[in-house]
Amino acid sequence: MAATYDFPSDLLAGQEELHQVRTELSALLKRLPWSVEPLDGFSDDNGWRKVERPASPGWTEDEQAEVEKLRQREHELAVFVSTHRYWAAVTGSDRIHARSRLKHTHGDVPESDDE
């Protein structure tokens, strides 16, 4: 039977916001051109697979600022979650299992019959 963990609400909220920020950053990066700076397109079939990229207009200053803001917030949240005082009370393999469980809670308290 899988262990249950009584995560504090601020830790759960931090992890949930971290999920949201990473989802938003990923979606933004998928929408943006492949290169931050304007670059010509290219095609290269000399490697083990062909690589092609269209010309990139680069990112605008606003797009660069938005990516930087999200990356900074992601970093802050990752540090908050990984150094939270809760982890001092959990030791050994329980800490590993608890951290894994927290990553999959998505704002809900995990149920003991998962896994």
Side-chain angles (χ1 to χ4, degrees), residues 8-18 20 77 80-81 102 107:
S9 61
D10 65 330
L11 180 56
L12 286 168
Q15 182 65 50
E16 182 62 26
E17 186 179 351
L18 182 57
Q20 292 169 356
L77 289 165
F80 172 77
V81 168
L102 178 66

Side-chain angles (χ1 to χ4, degrees), residues 1-4 101 109-115:
M1 180 174 270
T4 59
R101 180 68 80 162
V109 176
E111 297 181 25
S112 60
D113 59 345
D114 290 354
E115 290 186 79

